[in-house]
Amino acid sequence: MQDLSSSDQQIDPDATNYKKIHPVWGQERNDTRQKERQLRLFAHIFDSVNEGIIVTDADKNMLFINPAFSTITGYSANDLIGKNLNLLHLGLMDDAFSQDTWRSINETGRWQGEMIGRRKNDESYAECLSISTMKNELGEVSYYIGVFSDISERKAAEERVAYVVLHDFLTNLPNGLLLQDRLAQAISHAGREKHKVAVMCLDLDHFKVINDMLGHLVGDKLLQEVARRISSVGRASDTVSRRGGDEFVIILPDLETVDDAAVIAVKLLNAISGLCMIDGNEIKITTSIGISIFPEDGCDGDYLIKYADAAMYHAKKNGRNNYQFFTNEMNQLALERMSIERKLRHAIERQEFCLHYQPQVDLRSGRIIGVEALLRWNNPETGMISPGYFIPIAEETGLIIPIGEWVLREACRQNSEWRMLGLPELTVAVNLSAVQFRQNNFGEMIKTILCENGLEPSALELEITEGVVMQNAEASIALLLELKTMGLKLVVDDFGTGYSSLSYLKRFPIDKLKIDQSFVRDIIVDSDDAVIVSTIINMARTLKLKVIAEGVETAEQLSFLKYQECDEIQGYYFSQPVPPEKINSLLVSGYKEGNQWLYVSK
Ligand SMILES: Nc1nc2c(ncn2[C@@H]2O[C@@H]3COP(=O)(O)O[C@H]4[C@@H](O)[C@H](n5cnc6c(=O)[nH]c(N)nc65)O[C@@H]4COP(=O)(O)O[C@H]3[C@H]2O)c(=O)[nH]1
């Protein structure tokens, strides 16, 4: 114990003799010895604990410190004794603390809390401190006793955890959780100051394609570079956060006018759209931005983000690389989507779905050799709803899983019914969404459905769009192989719109390419499209794949495709998608009016 008041201790020379001669004094001597032992024990505790201990007099002049105090703070007893406490704990002695806390310590006799201390080398540290008083017989404070531990490491660990919980690991930007908190603060502050807050949702254009083509490592570096560019625009008080994927949300607090947000949006578009060099790849990226404004569009943070998201969606539809402010019309669209989603949840059980079938014709024989099943939704309140509208909603909400299974089951049931009627054998092609394609046990489900309907696998063709197959090409190859091994036929749909490389095409275990109708539409008037179509046909031939052209509407388109030796066609020229009973008659009579093109099935 470092006793700094230099109190002297008297040592008893022979306690035993004393006790023999003066029994009462002997008792007193015993008590004194016990007290001495106790004192030594307390001194030992004082010296050996890990907590720092400091004792001051009533004027806060330091009297004692223990060794742990020196270890933690770096101060020796000589540095401190006789000096005032304010030398050490600036926080402890500042105005606010002294007024409130010292009063409370004097009244209640104790206080505990966390504060920042300062070591001798001027480094600050976090400590957990408790102060108690020792009073005299008159109730006046004689000593203050402070006991504290250094909690800097624990605090740093807590701060690290809090940081990880609130930040995005890839870009170190605030994540969605911190964003919500900052947005709530920005709204309440702007509400008081009668200012505006802008919420911006940014989504990179075609990021998925870059990620797929150049790999995730490049994709990640690109996101880091974009995060850096976004953060370089605007003020320090703005919050730039990453919500996941290639989506960023920015909060601009305390704006005077809506125009200020437009100015920042333009700066962001420019900042992001410069060329990026990543691992030797020159990448040009653009972004689409949606903006909502507090208080004009609403006062609820979640809604403001949703509205900015809806506006961003609009910017994408508007040709990308632009910004859009949220409007009530967009709100209307968002509400409409929500209502469709609600209705879609009950469409299967309410038997509102049916399939129409569009014939696929072999150009050499002129026969219908297959049909494509196309989903139709007839809702009693809204009437017919186009699959182009509701399928994306079903995909986003996951409803495509039960709906897709219903389509597969119904298409196989219908095919089996046609065969039982003795009609020519057809393959039925069914469209698959990305979510279905990557669904667990998808192969098993198809096996069960085929088995239930007594169909061999070659009676079913699965159409998967080029974009879906290329999303994760290596994983797609494995999935396609599994389906191919089962004996199913596989078609790459909308071919030409994606970014398939020849090397991948060679490795995909597919049977057929379906040329997207956007190329077929203009083959007669647009020489570029004509070249694309004839190239795809030649490439398919080289790779020993069949090729089908969709969206054939005119005799001229048909002649061109025949001349290019395309294998199959599908389109309004021969037939629109029709209910199944119409297919029965087409299979039997199989002709097109005007006799320009005559098909017979048998
Ligand atoms: N202008 C023109 N259009 C033609 C012609 N021939 C066929 N079409 C239309 O083109 C679309 C072809 O289907 P898709 O590209 O797979 O595109 C489909 C497909 O992506 C999706 N879809 C339809 N049914 C299903 C389904 O059961 N599951 C999934 N996942 N998607 C489906 O919805 C999309 C739109 O389907 P639909 O509205 O039925 O539209 C169909 C069809 O009616 C033509 O000569 N000219």
Side-chain angles (χ1 to χ4, degrees):
M1 179 171 180
Q2 303 171 57
D3 183 346
L4 305 148
S5 61
S6 66
S7 68
D8 49 349
Q9 290 175 11
Q10 307 230 325
I11 310 293
D12 172 17
D14 186 358
T16 334
N17 286 343
Y18 249 91
K19 202 175 171 186
K20 273 185 203 155
I21 305 165
H22 305 286
V24 178
W25 286 1
Q27 181 61 45
E28 278 176 7
R29 288 222 138 219
N30 255 351
D31 288 351
T32 311
R33 285 190 157 239
Q34 207 167 337
K35 276 185 189 141
E36 277 171 11
R37 272 203 302 276
Q38 268 182 359
L39 264 179
R40 274 203 298 275
L41 175 67
F42 291 145
H44 179 73
I45 296 171
F46 190 80
D47 285 350
S48 59
V49 289
N50 287 330
E51 283 74 23
I53 301 176
I54 182 168
V55 181
T56 75
D57 65 13
D59 295 326
K60 299 169 195 125
N61 294 317
M62 294 179 267
L63 299 177
F64 307 101
I65 58 168
N66 71 343
F69 184 103
S70 298
T71 311
I72 296 172
T73 63
Y75 284 109
S76 69
N78 284 339
D79 293 331
L80 299 179
I81 297 317
K83 296 188 179 136
N84 198 272
L85 193 60
N86 60 11
L87 180 87
L88 285 181
H89 288 94
L90 291 177
L92 197 64
M93 302 305 289
D94 72 15
D95 275 356
F97 192 90
S98 48
Q99 275 164 23
D100 296 339
T101 316
W102 285 115
R103 191 181 309 119
S104 149
I105 293 169
N106 291 334
E107 278 168 17
T108 63
R110 59 182 54 249
W111 176 88
Q112 185 165 17
E114 288 180 6
M115 64 181 347
I116 301 296
R118 195 164 289 286
R119 301 189 215 275
K120 189 177 177 182
N121 63 7
D122 217 29
E123 183 186 294
S124 58
Y125 67 98
E127 64 180 13
C128 179
L129 169 69
S130 68
I131 301 173
S132 57
T133 57
M134 202 171 144
K135 294 185 177 170
N136 61 21
E137 316 76 60
L138 300 173
E140 294 158 341
V141 172
S142 315
Y143 302 104
Y144 291 104
I145 302 141
V147 180
F148 65 97
S149 47
D150 182 348
I151 54 167
S152 306
E153 277 185 22
R154 196 188 84 205
K155 278 273 161 201
E158 280 170 8
E159 274 164 23
R160 272 198 301 277
V161 170
Y163 186 87
V164 168
V165 169
L166 296 175
H167 290 80
D168 164 49
F169 72 97
L170 183 68
T171 57
N172 279 329
L173 292 176
N175 63 14
L177 217 60
L178 186 51
L179 172 85
Q180 275 180 333
D181 191 53
R182 297 259 177 96
L183 184 53
Q185 280 178 31
I187 289 171
S188 82
H189 186 258
R192 285 194 302 273
E193 302 291 320
K194 304 265 172 291
H195 284 164
K196 297 179 193 301
V197 178
V199 178
M200 294 186 169
C201 281
L202 273 84
D203 189 286
L204 301 183
D205 300 329
H206 304 299
F207 175 73
K208 225 175 183 37
V209 177
I210 294 170
N211 216 23
D212 285 343
M213 281 174 56
L214 301 177
H216 290 271
L217 274 181
V218 173
D220 283 355
K221 286 185 188 168
L222 179 63
L223 288 173
Q224 286 167 337
E225 173 59 17
V226 168
R228 205 188 53 70
R229 289 183 182 188
I230 296 175
S231 305
S232 71
V233 175
R235 303 168 297 180
S237 56
D238 300 344
T239 297
V240 179
S241 81
R242 177 170 170 246
R243 263 210 304 184
D246 57 335
E247 282 179 35
F248 296 85
V249 178
I250 306 172
I251 304 168
L252 310 176
D254 293 324
L255 296 183
E256 295 288 336
T257 69
V258 172
D259 291 347
D260 296 345
V263 172
I264 300 287
V266 173
K267 283 189 184 166
L268 283 166
L269 289 173
N270 291 336
I272 293 170
S273 67
L275 268 185
C276 298
M277 263 316 265
I278 291 173
D279 293 349
N281 301 289
E282 227 177 44
I283 305 171
K284 168 109 180 120
I285 187 110
T286 58
T287 189
S288 302
I289 304 176
I291 310 169
S292 65
I293 302 285
F294 163 86
E296 278 80 350
D297 299 326
C299 301
D300 179 290
D302 283 349
Y303 273 97
L304 286 169
I305 294 176
K306 272 191 194 140
Y307 292 161
D309 213 34
M312 185 270 293
Y313 189 71
H314 221 70
K316 291 253 176 221
K317 280 178 57 178
N318 219 33
R320 301 168 202 268
N321 196 21
N322 71 105
Y323 70 87
Q324 295 285 321
F325 279 96
F326 174 74
T327 63
N328 267 334
E329 200 190 13
M330 290 176 199
N331 193 19
Q332 206 49 43
L333 279 174
L335 289 175
E336 232 172 68
R337 262 174 82 86
M338 276 154 66
S339 140
I340 291 284
E341 185 188 321
R342 249 194 330 273
K343 293 183 179 122
L344 204 52
R345 290 191 184 277
H346 305 288
I348 295 185
E349 82 219 24
R350 294 184 183 154
Q351 301 186 345
E352 293 172 6
F353 287 131
C354 69
L355 290 183
H356 281 191
Y357 297 88
Q358 187 173 34
Q360 298 178 325
V361 177
D362 179 272
L363 276 184
R364 278 177 209 88
S365 67
R367 287 184 184 158
I368 299 174
I369 49 158
V371 287
E372 178 180 5
L374 291 157
L375 187 57
R376 298 292 176 257
W377 179 21
N378 193 359
N379 179 265
E381 285 170 45
T382 33
M384 285 301 256
I385 303 171
S386 153
Y389 184 52
F390 73 81
I391 293 274
I393 299 176
E395 285 171 341
E396 273 164 37
T397 52
L399 285 167
I400 195 68
I401 297 283
I403 295 175
E405 186 173 342
W406 181 89
V407 171
L408 278 161
R409 191 162 264 115
E410 174 56 18
C412 288
R413 190 206 59 74
Q414 182 61 61
N415 197 1
S416 161
E417 184 180 311
W418 280 322
R419 290 177 183 216
M420 279 193 286
L421 287 173
L423 293 166
E425 287 195 350
L426 298 176
T427 53
V428 176
V430 171
N431 287 286
L432 283 194
S433 291
V435 207
Q436 280 178 282
F437 179 48
R438 305 196 193 283
Q439 177 189 354
N440 276 339
N441 299 331
F442 180 65
E444 283 306 310
M445 190 240 301
I446 295 211
K447 261 189 209 156
T448 313
I449 292 175
L450 288 169
C451 190
E452 280 168 7
N453 293 287
L455 285 177
E456 71 271 20
S458 59
L460 181 62
E461 235 172 47
L462 298 177
E463 290 195 4
I464 307 154
T465 62
E466 189 184 11
V468 169
V469 178
M470 286 304 296
Q471 243 168 41
N472 185 345
E474 290 300 333
S476 295
I477 291 174
L479 286 168
L480 290 171
L481 260 174
E482 188 194 332
L483 300 171
K484 182 76 188 161
T485 316
M486 283 169 54
L488 294 159
K489 289 198 180 143
L490 304 175
V491 183
V492 175
D493 199 3
D494 300 344
F495 191 78
T497 55
Y499 295 83
S500 299
S501 69
L502 206 63
S503 59
Y504 270 126
L505 257 191
K506 263 168 49 187
R507 291 175 57 208
F508 289 145
I510 47 171
D511 299 278
K512 209 190 280 187
L513 297 180
K514 188 177 229 187
I515 306 175
D516 190 65
Q517 54 180 289
S518 59
F519 301 112
V520 176
R521 192 179 303 130
D522 295 330
I523 38 178
I524 304 303
V525 288
D526 185 334
S527 58
D528 285 347
D529 284 349
V531 170
I532 290 171
V533 169
S534 71
T535 309
I536 295 175
I537 294 173
N538 284 321
M539 188 173 71
R541 196 175 306 125
T542 316
L543 294 171
K544 302 201 169 35
L545 299 175
K546 290 252 178 219
V547 61
I548 178 167
E550 71 176 344
V552 179
E553 293 184 357
T554 66
E556 291 77 23
Q557 291 166 341
L558 182 65
S559 309
F560 177 88
L561 291 163
K562 237 190 141 193
Y563 181 74
Q564 296 294 332
E565 297 184 14
C566 181
D567 300 296
E568 298 165 21
I569 61 136
Q570 177 184 339
Y572 294 169
Y573 180 73
F574 185 69
S575 167
Q576 298 228 346
V578 289
E581 29 326 329
K582 256 320 251 316
I583 294 289
N584 300 10
S585 50
L586 276 171
L587 281 172
V588 174
S589 56
Y591 73 93
K592 178 186 174 346
E593 281 176 3
N595 278 347
Q596 291 160 314
W597 188 251
L598 188 73
Y599 296 92
V600 268
S601 308
K602 286 189 176 174

